[in-house]
Amino acid sequence: MPDCTVVVITYNDAPRLPRAVRSVLCQSLRDLEVVVVDDASTDETPRVVAELMESDPRVRYVRRPANSGGCGAPRNDGLAAAAAPYLMYLDSDDELPRHACKSLLTEIERTGADFVSGQISRLYESSGRLHPYYPTLFARRRVVAGIGEEPELFLDSFSTNKLYDVRFLRDSGLRFPEDIHYEDHPFATELYALARRFAVVPWVVYHWHRARGGTSISLSIKEMDNVRHRVAAARRSDDVLRAHGLAHLLPARRFRFLHQDLRVYLNPLPTRDRVWVKEFAAIVRPYLEEFSPEVFDRIEPMVRVCCHLILDDRIDDLRIAAGSLTGPRAAPRAAVRIDGRTYWGTTVSPGMDITDLRLAELPFSAARLRHEVAEIAQAGDRVRMIVHTYDPFGALPVDWKAFLRAGGKRIPIEPQASGEGGYVSEITFEPKGKCDPRIGFTRLSDGRTTTDRLLVDSAMKPIELPGGTVRAEGYAAYLCVRAKRARRSFARRLGRKALKRLSTPAMKLRVYKALIKVLPPRRDLALFEADVGKGYTGSPRAVYEELRRRDLPIEVVWSVAKGRHNFPSDARLVRRGSWAYIWAMARAGYWVDSHGFPLDYPKPRRTRYLQTWHGQGIKSIGFDAPDLRADFDRPRERWRAAVARWDALVAPSAEFARRFVPSNGYTGKVYRCGTPRCDALMRGEVTDDVRRRLEIPPDRKVLLYAPTYRDRAKGSGRSVRADLALMARELADEWVLVLRTHPVERYRPPEHLRHFVRPAGSYPEINDLMLTSDALLTDYSSVMCDYALTGKPMLFLIDDWDEYRLSERGVYHDLPSIAPGPCVTTTEELIGKLRDLPAVHDSYADRYAAFRELWCAEERGDAAHRIVTDFFTGSER
């Protein structure tokens, strides 16, 4: 008897069936069988299965005499044929990850559960990317004592991401319905109703392939029968709960229908014609009429609006509202604000309440307008269009000027007031290259600008022009221009290919090493770089400005990763990694940077290298950090050689020197005179009007939130651990949160939080943010050491402290025992501390003083002056 049976159901899918079966046969669990259930295929499936059976005796074949028209009957046949005590289902167009069966088998035997459910991920074949399905459901490993304990798991109504106890299925008589599509839904509902305990694991156990032009039932959403089957499956699921005495769970199961099932049809609804939408609403409406108000209260505002428009049979409004569900999430044509609440359209009713979207409270640069293209036509090589603009939230001031932004061009336009409210514009422009044209309005009082995309009829025929194709894109149907692919001559293609071969990193390094052997460095040339070329900031900036202030005869070249980020207009820039950059590295007599020039590039013999570094704090560093902690020769050897290039190191404090110098194997000169970038903090110099630039109201306090990244989740957004939605609800009347994520992090606050959150991850100078803020919220970031110079309150959200210090980055200090402010583990605690901040800050006065003495004792505000004097002139004062 095998340990596990995997039932692979198939119908006319001979080309993809071997891939699915091989994903089972290659499992790390070897003692298993594959039962291929063929729903009477008319293609080459029998031959393909015969070949699979011949190549591996673990494959068995069950062929149905007639096609069932769905997936229920083949799955039931597979259960009847299973010889193992445990079973999984697999569709022939999908795959199992290599350890799926073994990991789930281990878990079900360990827990004694009736079934185990794991993360399912959509695999988009066009890009190869995996997207987990509702990852929050599978965020932690656990055993659930019945669905009543976690009714939100109704969102997981798949049958394919689970390993089942076969005896449990057979004894309970649990079977798939054979007369409807979406048989998974009533099956999963009854599975949850019958299971006394089940397990959930956080790893991926199923790859759900999504191919272009797919023909699966779940993708046939344009067919009206598909809608009928979906509603029928939902109704039957409701009946299952009632039959098992679980009617109190109906709201949770119906929430799944609104949140997931209905959205499948609402998202593309703007692309459907009016007749389709009318029939769709007629099918769905009777079922929605059975829902209690609490179900609608749980869903997001625009889905709730769509539901009420279905109930009210407002078909035209429904098509407009559905355009706000995807893509640019278009603003409504009109909105009503009464007693602090905002309503979609002109109807004031609970079902039309969109207050939680906070669209009426956005700062002007993020304000939402609606631009509808009423007419569009070709005019020679140009496009002529008439656009209706709506200002539903009254964002436009009295004085403004408008423009069309198409690519890099701004074309002035003159919108005229319309008799129906809003404005009408006649616009003619020549499309060139790839762009999404936007209409923008500039507020004359302060120069702030807001822009929004242009909405078009989804049935618009593409306009082919020499400069590109103008067409509608996305479910919401916004106007876009897509460039035509230019045909390059053979000589040009050959030249580009040759240039590409000559510009490889290996070739550049080879040329660089040859240059430094024959060219002496220029003593009047310095190469500066901050944050790996990301901007004009940090200690390199402070040193550079001191050089300019003293007018020393040194020409400075700045390394830039891309673009011009806040550099002075007269600064000389080179693109990092370019041939000009290689030349500058080879010729510069001085190197100055805050992170590290390319590791494999040796320093020219007579060039002097000043390493300013970019922070200090409690986190492990150098050979103690995770990426170098393991004893892998190559990474450690490369970093050791890179550190050996340094001629001088800026050490902000004795504690920094005590930890950083030995952990990096550095043996050169150390400057113990403070940090150049902190001179501005000591002097309280703000170089920019942060409040104006970030549109912070004058009556709000500023909380600077600066979390550090997590080594195991770089770029995931997981460093933002505070519940920003809860903070917005509780604190938005008093505070604005300025979010400064780490440069390696990727996080974009959702639109409904932009009234409270100001993203500042790319803000050019963090010193300005620190000096403008009223308090700092962080976790383990080195920003805490610089912020101590301000004397302002600090708070620490360290909900993952044990994980961070023991298995993540590692630390040198016990933060809870030295922190100059409260350490909290929940957002609720954090909000409580902020509400009593003055008293809380006073209670940490002694700790704050000790913390400042530990990290900031060397800061006197003249670090840049003293370092320039010694490093560049050699005359220590």
Side-chain angles (χ1 to χ4, degrees):
M1 179 186 295
D3 288 331
C4 179
T5 297
V6 179
V7 175
V8 181
I9 65 168
T10 188
Y11 173 68
N12 283 353
D13 198 21
R16 292 182 294 192
L17 177 60
R19 181 183 68 187
V21 173
R22 280 195 294 268
S23 78
V24 182
L25 298 177
C26 293
Q27 287 287 300
S28 55
L29 177 69
R30 304 299 297 169
D31 193 8
L32 49 71
E33 67 168 356
V34 182
V35 176
V36 179
V37 182
D38 178 6
D39 200 7
S41 296
T42 58
D43 64 356
E44 294 293 310
T45 294
R47 180 187 59 79
V48 170
V49 177
E51 292 174 356
L52 290 168
M53 293 171 65
E54 185 177 349
S55 65
D56 197 310
R58 293 176 295 170
V59 181
R60 291 199 287 133
Y61 185 38
V62 175
R63 179 175 171 85
R64 291 182 56 79
N67 181 257
S68 67
C71 300
R75 286 190 177 136
N76 288 335
D77 290 351
L79 173 60
Y86 301 105
L87 175 144
M88 282 191 78
Y89 290 108
L90 172 64
D91 292 343
S92 60
D93 54 346
D94 298 331
E95 291 180 277
L96 296 182
R98 186 167 186 268
H99 302 293
C101 293
K102 187 173 185 178
S103 64
L104 291 177
L105 178 64
T106 302
E107 194 72 2
I108 201 168
E109 291 179 337
R110 183 184 72 84
T111 61
D114 295 321
F115 69 91
V116 182
S117 184
Q119 176 73 68
I120 188 169
S121 279
R122 287 169 286 194
L123 194 160
Y124 290 88
E125 294 183 357
S126 59
S127 63
R129 292 183 179 179
L130 280 170
H131 293 266
Y133 186 88
Y134 291 120
T136 54
L137 293 179
F138 304 94
R140 57 190 179 88
R141 188 177 182 179
R142 62 200 186 275
V143 176
V144 183
I147 189 62
E149 192 174 272
E150 290 191 41
E152 61 271 18
L153 284 167
F154 279 126
L155 287 170
D156 173 22
S157 288
F158 290 96
S159 61
T160 50
N161 63 329
K162 299 172 176 63
L163 179 76
Y164 306 89
D165 184 322
V166 170
R167 185 171 61 179
F168 164 70
L169 294 181
R170 289 174 175 166
D171 290 351
S172 64
L174 186 56
R175 298 292 183 271
F176 289 89
E178 298 185 5
D179 56 341
I180 60 169
H181 298 158
Y182 302 106
E183 70 293 326
D184 280 8
H185 298 183
F187 173 85
T189 303
E190 190 160 14
L191 177 72
Y192 285 129
L194 292 169
R196 57 186 176 81
R197 56 191 273 123
F198 57 92
V200 179
V201 296
W203 53 84
V204 175
V205 301
Y206 194 88
H207 288 167
W208 177 20
H209 278 253
R210 302 300 298 268
R212 286 179 179 171
T215 57
S216 68
I217 291 171
S218 62
L219 297 178
S220 306
I221 58 175
K222 193 172 182 179
E223 299 173 8
M224 208 54 68
D225 274 349
N226 188 285
V227 183
R228 294 187 180 94
H229 278 276
R230 181 95 64 165
V231 173
R235 286 187 179 278
R236 195 167 299 187
S237 299
D238 292 352
D239 293 340
V240 166
L241 291 178
R242 294 188 187 99
H244 288 279
L246 298 175
H248 62 286
L249 296 180
L250 281 175
R253 179 60 186 74
R254 287 173 167 177
F255 169 76
R256 184 236 144 77
F257 179 81
L258 298 181
H259 185 70
Q260 174 61 34
D261 300 333
L262 189 64
R263 278 294 296 268
V264 169
Y265 305 100
L266 290 179
N267 288 347
L269 191 139
T271 66
R272 312 295 190 217
D273 60 48
R274 195 176 188 280
V275 174
W276 191 97
V277 177
K278 183 83 172 175
E279 187 176 357
F280 163 76
I283 294 171
V284 173
R285 186 180 304 114
Y287 185 46
L288 296 186
E289 288 173 342
E290 300 175 13
F291 287 24
S292 61
E294 67 176 293
V295 181
F296 294 114
D297 290 343
R298 287 187 58 195
I299 60 177
E300 58 183 279
M302 283 311 303
V303 177
R304 183 169 60 240
V305 167
C306 289
C307 287
H308 282 271
L309 292 173
I310 291 172
L311 290 169
D312 293 342
D313 197 25
R314 293 167 58 182
I315 302 306
D316 293 327
D317 287 341
L318 174 60
R319 295 182 70 196
I320 294 173
S324 298
L325 296 173
T326 63
R329 298 182 181 271
R333 288 177 176 174
V336 179
R337 298 197 72 195
I338 296 178
D339 298 330
R341 310 297 298 178
T342 306
Y343 300 89
W344 191 93
T346 57
T347 304
V348 178
S349 70
M352 310 302 286
D353 192 325
I354 59 170
T355 306
D356 288 346
L357 296 179
R358 302 295 174 183
L359 294 172
E361 303 166 46
L362 295 172
F364 183 73
S365 62
R368 299 306 311 278
L369 304 177
R370 184 182 183 91
H371 309 295
E372 294 182 6
V373 178
E375 298 178 22
I376 185 166
Q378 181 176 349
D381 290 346
R382 299 188 171 198
V383 172
R384 179 185 174 278
M385 56 188 179
I386 296 178
V387 181
H388 289 263
T389 294
Y390 301 89
D391 180 17
F393 308 109
L396 291 180
V398 175
D399 297 320
W400 47 260
K401 61 181 179 181
F403 59 89
L404 174 77
R405 190 179 74 195
K409 283 190 174 183
R410 281 193 177 193
I411 303 166
I413 62 175
E414 297 182 0
Q416 303 296 315
S418 68
E420 303 174 354
Y423 303 88
V424 177
S425 308
E426 292 189 18
I427 304 172
T428 301
F429 76 103
E430 183 179 0
K432 286 186 178 180
K434 179 180 179 179
C435 67
D436 300 329
R438 291 171 174 260
I439 286 182
F441 285 81
T442 300
R443 190 164 57 190
L444 298 181
S445 60
D446 59 6
R448 304 297 300 184
T449 294
T450 185
T451 65
D452 231 317
R453 286 171 167 164
L454 282 70
L455 303 173
V456 295
D457 188 336
S458 60
M460 166 192 169
K461 292 183 178 179
I463 300 174
E464 301 287 346
L465 294 171
T469 302
V470 182
R471 66 175 191 237
E473 191 162 292
Y475 286 149
Y478 59 88
L479 190 70
C480 70
V481 178
R482 295 296 175 255
K484 295 180 178 179
R485 182 172 293 180
R487 291 184 59 85
R488 297 189 181 98
S489 66
F490 174 77
R492 189 174 179 183
R493 291 199 306 271
L494 190 64
R496 287 178 65 87
K497 186 178 291 187
L499 184 62
K500 190 174 182 179
R501 286 187 177 180
L502 290 173
S503 296
T504 63
M507 178 61 73
K508 288 178 178 177
L509 180 58
R510 193 176 300 124
V511 171
Y512 171 82
K513 288 180 176 180
L515 286 174
I516 63 175
K517 288 180 180 179
V518 298
L519 293 176
R522 284 177 47 190
R523 305 305 303 168
D524 62 345
L525 179 65
L527 177 62
F528 275 58
E529 184 173 286
D531 195 8
V532 201
K534 289 191 175 73
Y536 177 67
T537 186
S539 288
R541 171 180 177 171
V543 171
Y544 170 71
E545 290 178 350
E546 179 66 16
L547 283 174
R548 294 185 65 180
R549 187 186 67 78
R550 293 162 68 168
D551 198 23
L552 293 181
I554 296 175
E555 180 185 357
V556 174
V557 177
W558 276 93
S559 159
V560 183
K562 61 179 180 179
R564 172 182 283 271
H565 299 286
N566 207 44
F567 284 91
S569 59
D570 59 347
R572 180 182 165 193
L573 310 180
V574 293
R575 178 70 178 266
R576 194 175 200 268
S578 66
W579 281 111
Y581 178 77
I582 303 304
W583 176 258
M585 285 186 72
R587 294 290 279 140
Y590 299 96
W591 288 2
V592 179
D593 93 314
S594 61
H595 285 68
F597 287 107
L599 296 183
D600 293 327
Y601 282 70
K603 185 191 63 170
R605 278 182 299 171
R606 290 188 291 276
T607 295
R608 301 190 66 220
Y609 185 172
L610 172 63
Q611 175 56 255
T612 68
W613 208 241
H614 51 276
Q616 57 175 333
I618 68 168
K619 298 186 293 184
S620 65
I621 197 73
F623 295 113
D624 297 335
D627 51 346
L628 295 176
R629 190 182 299 153
D631 192 18
F632 297 124
D633 288 342
R634 181 59 179 152
R636 292 168 68 90
E637 180 186 334
R638 290 180 75 207
W639 182 242
R640 192 174 287 110
V643 170
R645 299 178 300 178
W646 303 349
D647 295 291
L649 170 69
V650 175
S653 65
E655 181 62 18
F656 175 87
R658 185 172 76 89
R659 295 290 187 183
F660 185 93
V661 171
S663 66
N664 284 276
Y666 177 66
T667 58
K669 182 172 185 175
V670 176
Y671 284 119
R672 289 277 304 280
C673 54
T675 318
R677 74 167 183 276
C678 289
D679 292 348
L681 291 176
M682 291 294 294
R683 297 192 293 263
E685 294 177 352
V686 181
T687 60
D688 200 2
D689 186 351
V690 175
R691 283 185 170 271
R692 179 195 61 78
R693 189 162 175 171
L694 296 182
E695 299 174 275
I696 300 173
D699 61 340
R700 299 291 197 279
K701 291 182 287 187
V702 177
L703 177 63
L704 174 59
Y705 182 19
T708 193
Y709 66 92
R710 302 306 188 264
D711 288 82
R712 296 179 180 176
K714 292 179 182 178
S716 68
R718 284 171 50 189
S719 66
V720 182
R721 305 184 71 86
D723 185 340
L724 300 184
L726 177 59
M727 293 181 72
R729 286 196 299 272
E730 299 294 329
L731 301 171
D733 291 338
E734 186 180 358
W735 290 86
V736 164
L737 185 143
V738 173
L739 179 59
R740 174 75 171 199
T741 51
H742 192 278
V744 304
E745 188 60 285
R746 292 179 183 176
Y747 178 82
R748 184 176 182 178
E751 187 178 57
H752 71 273
L753 296 179
R754 284 298 310 278
H755 69 295
F756 172 67
V757 179
R758 301 293 190 271
S762 60
Y763 199 90
E765 185 53 69
I766 191 173
N767 280 353
D768 294 342
L769 300 179
M770 288 193 278
L771 291 171
T772 302
S773 66
D774 295 284
L776 171 71
L777 170 62
T778 187
D779 42 25
Y780 320 110
S781 172
S782 62
V783 72
M784 67 177 79
C785 299
D786 292 351
Y787 201 83
L789 291 169
T790 69
K792 299 174 186 178
M794 284 190 265
L795 305 99
F796 302 84
L797 178 60
I798 56 170
D799 61 311
D800 62 340
W801 169 243
D802 286 337
E803 178 185 355
Y804 191 84
R805 68 187 178 90
L806 296 175
S807 61
E808 171 74 36
R809 180 62 179 264
V811 295
Y812 295 125
H813 294 268
D814 181 43
L815 181 60
S817 67
I818 69 167
C823 292
V824 299
T825 58
T826 68
T827 304
E828 289 81 1
E829 287 181 85
L830 171 63
I831 292 169
K833 299 297 184 184
L834 284 169
R835 284 178 170 156
D836 194 26
L837 191 57
V840 169
H841 184 47
D842 288 344
S843 69
Y844 281 83
D846 292 341
R847 269 213 202 174
Y848 206 117
F851 188 88
R852 183 164 173 162
E853 179 64 24
L854 179 65
W855 302 107
C856 310
E858 310 283 352
E859 302 291 352
R860 301 181 183 86
D862 63 350
H865 175 83
R866 296 174 67 183
I867 290 170
V868 167
T869 298
D870 183 76
F871 188 79
F872 289 95
T873 69
S875 54
E876 178 70 43
R877 192 171 63 179

